[in-house]
């Protein structure tokens, strides 16, 4: 099998690594001296391999992976590993916090919705026919406290979709593993002031706190009006940053714009929500979840965000 590529180059004051994963262009920035290129290449490879591993394990588009086997064995209790347990526990908490609006069983709606910028809306009857197969409360889930995994009962005909968590989780994991490898390479003497690393998976970011002499990371929030153009620049010193919005996935019919975020209770896009929500939080997973939960509040998004106490940015 062909080895996937990670391209590392020197960009004036740091290393930039580029690779593709999860249908997105991905980058890793490493604030290492130029003479440490071999270390930069090693760290970038470690991070990319972790992203690819998560993609291979949980992608809903692969017929031969772990996630596919969960669906092939629907209708019976199944044992799942500790990592999957953590993700499903997180999804369960998100479902409860959102009052059922964040629901990893709603991905089945992609069968009738295609957010390709066209004006093609699905048949309302086709949407309605899928609603009985949506609802996390229909899934049997038993999480064990011994960290050894859990038990899942997925009813026949239902689907799980971790697309709302996958990239953010991968960004956090990639950063964590790269930092572990960096600390091992530099030794304990420099562990308190590790050089800055930033993982960018298609706009979902995770970064460590750079040494005091290093400037914060400057990152752009994508414009909702002009594709591939930043509307504003932010400074990120550590933690996660994630954006949820409809700048790339939407429909326009009879002058009305339909964003890709669907209400699992109706099967239709949420109305009166901001075009884009960006949130900064201690981890990328937290950032992505809060951004999604905010959009799910519709016109009450900003009220919800203010209550979180986290930094956020809205685009109408």
């Amino acid at each position: 099998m062909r080895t996937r590529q990670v391209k590392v180059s020197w960009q004036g004051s740091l290393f930039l690594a580029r690779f593709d994963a999860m249908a997105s262009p991905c980058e890793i920035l490493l604030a290492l001296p130029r003479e440490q290129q071999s270390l930069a290449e090693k760290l970038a490879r470690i991070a990319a391999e972790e992203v690819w591993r998560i993609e291979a394990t949980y992608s809903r588009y692969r017929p031969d992976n772990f996630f596919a086997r969960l669906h092939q064995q629907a209708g019976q209790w199944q044992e799942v590993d500790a990592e999957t347990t953590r993700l499903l526990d997180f999804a369960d908490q998100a479902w409860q916090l959102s009052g059922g609006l964040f629901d990893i069983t709603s991905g089945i709606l992609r069968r009738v919705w295609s957010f390709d910028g066209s004006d093609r809306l699905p048949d309302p009857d086709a949407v309605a026919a899928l609603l009985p197969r949506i609802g996390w409360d229909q899934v049997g889930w038993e999480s064990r406290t011994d960290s050894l995994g859990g038990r899942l009962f997925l009813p026949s005909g239902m689907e799980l979709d971790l697309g709302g968590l996958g990239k953010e989780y991968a960004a956090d994991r990639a950063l964590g593993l790269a930092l572990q490898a960096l600390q091992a390479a530099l030794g304990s003497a420099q562990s308190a002031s590790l050089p800055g690393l930033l993982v960018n998976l298609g706009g979902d970011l995770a970064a460590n706190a750079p040494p005091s002499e290093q400037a914060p990371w400057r990152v752009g929030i994508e414009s909702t009006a002009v594709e591939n153009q930043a509307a504003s620049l932010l400074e990120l010193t550590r933690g996660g940053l994630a954006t949820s919005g409809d700048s790339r996935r939407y429909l326009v019919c009879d002058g009305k714009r339909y964003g890709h975020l669907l209400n699992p209770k109706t099967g239709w896009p949420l109305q009166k929500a901001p075009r884009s929500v960006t949130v900064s939080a201690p981890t990328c997973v937290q950032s992505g979840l809060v951004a999604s939960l905010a959009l799910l509040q519709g016109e009450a998004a900003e009220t919800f965000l203010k209550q979180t106490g986290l930094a956020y940015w809205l685009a109408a």
Side-chain angles (χ1 to χ4, degrees):
M1 184 173 64
R2 184 172 63 88
T3 302
R4 300 178 76 171
Q5 298 296 310
V6 182
K7 298 180 179 179
V8 180
S9 60
W10 177 253
Q11 298 291 316
S13 60
L14 47 74
F15 287 100
L16 170 63
R18 288 193 171 104
F19 62 99
D20 292 320
M22 299 182 173
S24 300
C26 303
E27 297 179 341
I28 302 172
L29 300 178
L30 307 101
L32 292 169
R34 190 169 189 176
E35 60 269 19
Q36 291 186 323
Q37 178 157 351
S38 60
L39 177 58
E41 291 174 347
K42 176 184 177 181
L43 298 175
R45 190 77 199 181
I46 288 171
E49 291 282 4
E50 179 65 2
V51 175
W52 290 330
R53 181 193 69 81
I54 293 169
E55 179 182 26
T57 303
Y58 296 106
S59 172
R60 62 181 181 262
Y61 298 112
R62 296 182 59 143
D64 58 348
N65 64 357
F66 165 77
F67 214 50
R69 290 193 292 275
L70 285 182
H71 291 82
Q72 291 161 7
Q73 299 176 52
Q76 58 183 302
W77 283 97
Q78 306 178 59
E79 301 287 332
V80 300
D81 60 18
E83 180 175 48
T84 304
T85 295
R86 290 193 297 272
L87 288 169
L88 293 183
D89 278 345
F90 195 82
D92 178 61
Q93 294 169 9
W95 180 81
Q96 296 182 51
L97 287 171
S98 67
L101 290 177
F102 187 99
D103 194 320
I104 63 171
T105 68
S106 64
I108 197 171
L109 288 167
R110 69 181 178 275
R111 296 186 182 185
V112 294
W113 284 97
S114 180
F115 294 97
D116 55 6
S118 70
D119 62 353
R120 296 186 297 272
L121 296 179
D123 185 322
D125 289 340
V127 175
L130 292 175
L131 294 183
R133 298 160 68 180
I134 297 172
W136 174 248
D137 54 336
Q138 299 182 57
V139 177
W141 174 237
E142 296 179 359
S143 176
R144 295 180 183 151
T145 58
D146 57 11
S147 300
L148 296 178
R151 295 177 72 231
L152 172 73
F153 183 92
L154 180 64
S156 298
M158 292 185 67
E159 295 182 12
L160 301 181
D161 186 342
L162 294 176
L165 301 172
K167 269 201 299 184
E168 295 90 342
Y169 172 68
D172 288 332
R173 285 282 304 172
L175 176 68
L177 290 182
L179 287 174
Q180 287 180 20
L182 178 60
Q183 184 168 356
L186 298 180
S188 58
Q190 299 186 50
S191 61
S193 58
L194 291 176
L197 269 70
L198 181 144
V199 176
N200 176 6
L201 304 185
D204 293 322
L205 312 179
N208 72 315
S212 57
E213 65 271 14
Q214 182 183 321
W217 299 109
R218 291 175 61 81
V219 300
I221 297 179
E222 187 176 35
S223 170
T224 56
V226 182
E227 189 172 334
N228 296 321
Q229 181 171 313
S232 58
L233 289 175
L234 311 176
E235 290 189 347
L236 178 67
T237 55
R238 69 180 305 163
L241 189 77
T243 299
S244 186
D246 68 357
S247 62
R248 293 178 180 270
R249 298 177 60 200
Y250 62 90
L251 297 174
V252 178
C253 185
D254 296 331
K256 186 175 182 179
R257 189 182 183 96
Y258 296 82
H260 76 281
L261 203 61
L262 300 172
N263 184 332
K265 299 179 181 182
T266 66
W268 288 82
L270 289 140
Q271 299 300 310
K272 299 182 180 180
R275 289 282 310 280
S276 172
V277 175
T278 300
V279 175
S280 176
T283 67
C284 191
V285 164
Q286 292 173 307
S287 300
L289 175 61
V290 173
S292 295
L293 291 180
L295 280 182
L296 289 167
Q297 306 304 311
E299 58 187 339
E302 187 159 18
T303 300
F304 169 82
L305 288 165
K306 287 179 179 178
Q307 294 172 347
T308 69
L310 298 172
Y312 66 88
W313 298 263
L314 292 177

